Amino acid sequence: MKALRTKILLLFLTVSLFSFSQDDTLPYVRYKEKIVWYTDLGFSTAPFKLKYPFTDDVSTLKYKNNMSAVLGIGVSYKWFALRLGIALPGTIRPPSRYGKTQYYDLGFDFSVKRAFFDVDLHLYNGYAIKNAYRWNDSLNDLRPNELRPELSSVSFSINTWIFKNPHFKMSAFRGKTGSYTEDIHSFYIKPTFNVHGAGSNGKEPLIPYQLEDTNQTKTAAHSITAVDLGIVPGMVYVKRWKSFQVGIMGGLGFVVQSKFYLTDGINRGFLGLAPRFDVKIIAGYNQPKYFVMLVTDFDNKSIRFNDLVYRQTFYNIKIVGGIRLDRKKKKQKED
């Protein structure tokens, strides 16, 4: 009888352990022990608009930067990651119409349990105001845009994504150092801190003098900036089909915003709320030894001073391809 009870107990423990291991199967694989080499090719842009009832015919000014293709080379191993980006010669738009834009990008990220932390700095120098011939008599159809090489825009952000689903990992969503083996979704909250805006280094107002409203000092501003702090909720979904993986992440919310404009040495500040939404899409073919993906994301920011509205979208798209290599093990010497 005692032997029978012992066998039943062992059988129960075996079934329990088996059931636990089945329920605890992870929906992703990670390649911490592999050296990941990758390269990417794409574009990054940050156009912005200024809306205001300037005249009966002009209510929106469109500021465009001239894009260049950017080639990146990177490596990742365990906790270490490094990427070098190089702007390739040439521009997408004609320099005679859109000038030249210098682009600087710096960032790093890391994960802690369910949270993913990301720090980014983007700086664009050199813009053109589209179709400025409508108010500038020195321009025409052949040379329609006003070139503003001294004009810059900047975005510095510290973001944290906290996922409800403990099995959601940003490394598997990104697809370089991990990948999913089945469908998954999760809600998240995103605490965010941002400093962003545009300025002309005090040389010229953002708005051309022909459109300046002499009764509103904000239309003569040399710079418009804001500091945002808030929490943006969102959702992420990953679809896995054979070796193809598609992931989309999107959030919508509000931030508390401290906003400023500077004009002729006068700095005016205000406090308010601002909407915030962002979207990230990653899709591609992912195998244990290699991957090819299309990566794109949108980050929309805005600043409002009553009827003067500044809106900017930071957008990039790139193709990423890489290989995962096993680390060479040292051969043990025979005695």
Side-chain angles (χ1 to χ4, degrees), residues 76-130:
S76 178
Y77 177 62
K78 291 188 177 181
W79 57 268
F80 173 80
L82 177 66
R83 178 187 177 274
L84 175 64
I86 303 173
L88 300 179
T91 56
I92 303 301
R93 300 186 178 102
S96 59
R97 291 193 172 204
Y98 291 90
K100 295 182 179 181
T101 300
Q102 293 179 316
Y103 170 59
Y104 304 94
D105 180 21
L106 179 64
F108 66 92
D109 54 69
F110 59 94
S111 297
V112 178
K113 295 183 179 181
R114 297 189 189 184
F116 177 78
F117 299 83
D118 181 81
V119 180
D120 278 311
L121 172 65
H122 304 285
L123 176 63
Y124 295 80
N125 184 35
Y127 278 82
I129 307 178
K130 194 173 181 180

Side-chain angles (χ1 to χ4, degrees), residues 40-43 173-176 280-284 292-297 315-320:
D40 58 73
L41 178 65
F43 304 93
F173 175 78
R174 287 181 161 187
K176 291 196 290 288
K280 183 185 292 289
I281 302 173
I282 300 178
V292 179
M293 301 178 299
L294 176 68
V295 180
T296 180
D297 62 75
Y315 167 69
N316 71 73
I317 181 171
K318 58 185 176 181
I319 297 176
V320 184

Side-chain angles (χ1 to χ4, degrees), residues 1-207:
M1 189 70 177
K2 184 177 180 180
L4 179 60
R5 280 187 289 183
T6 302
K7 290 180 180 179
I8 294 174
L9 180 60
L10 289 174
L11 179 61
F12 175 77
L13 289 174
T14 302
V15 172
S16 299
L17 289 173
F18 179 76
S19 300
F20 177 80
S21 62
Q22 287 292 98
D23 294 339
D24 201 44
T25 300
L26 296 177
Y28 60 85
V29 291
R30 299 181 70 179
Y31 304 103
K32 285 186 175 182
E33 300 303 322
K34 291 182 180 289
I35 301 175
V36 182
W37 290 95
Y38 66 92
T39 182
D40 58 73
L41 178 65
F43 304 93
S44 181
T45 183
F48 66 89
K49 299 178 181 180
L50 282 173
K51 291 187 176 182
Y52 185 82
F54 300 107
T55 68
D56 293 337
D57 299 325
V58 179
S59 60
T60 303
L61 303 182
K62 297 180 180 180
Y63 296 75
K64 302 286 187 178
N65 59 288
N66 203 346
M67 296 182 292
S68 298
V70 177
L71 176 66
I73 299 174
V75 60
S76 178
Y77 177 62
K78 291 188 177 181
W79 57 268
F80 173 80
L82 177 66
R83 178 187 177 274
L84 175 64
I86 303 173
L88 300 179
T91 56
I92 303 301
R93 300 186 178 102
S96 59
R97 291 193 172 204
Y98 291 90
K100 295 182 179 181
T101 300
Q102 293 179 316
Y103 170 59
Y104 304 94
D105 180 21
L106 179 64
F108 66 92
D109 54 69
F110 59 94
S111 297
V112 178
K113 295 183 179 181
R114 297 189 189 184
F116 177 78
F117 299 83
D118 181 81
V119 180
D120 278 311
L121 172 65
H122 304 285
L123 176 63
Y124 295 80
N125 184 35
Y127 278 82
I129 307 178
K130 194 173 181 180
N131 296 330
Y133 70 90
R134 292 180 297 169
W135 59 83
N136 190 334
D137 294 336
S138 64
L139 302 174
N140 51 50
D141 291 339
L142 298 177
R143 188 168 160 262
N145 305 329
E146 181 179 332
L147 303 185
R148 300 290 299 273
E150 85 291 346
L151 190 58
S152 300
S153 71
V154 63
S155 172
F156 173 73
S157 60
I158 302 175
N159 297 311
T160 305
W161 287 264
I162 303 173
F163 301 99
K164 182 180 179 181
N165 190 336
H167 290 325
F168 186 85
K169 301 296 180 184
M170 189 67 85
S171 59
F173 175 78
R174 287 181 161 187
K176 291 196 290 288
T177 58
S179 64
Y180 278 98
T181 57
E182 60 185 63
D183 299 354
I184 189 173
H185 68 273
S186 178
F187 291 100
Y188 67 81
I189 58 172
K190 176 186 171 184
T192 180
F193 170 81
N194 299 269
V195 180
H196 59 96
S200 61
N201 300 320
K203 296 179 180 180
E204 292 185 56
L206 288 171
I207 297 169

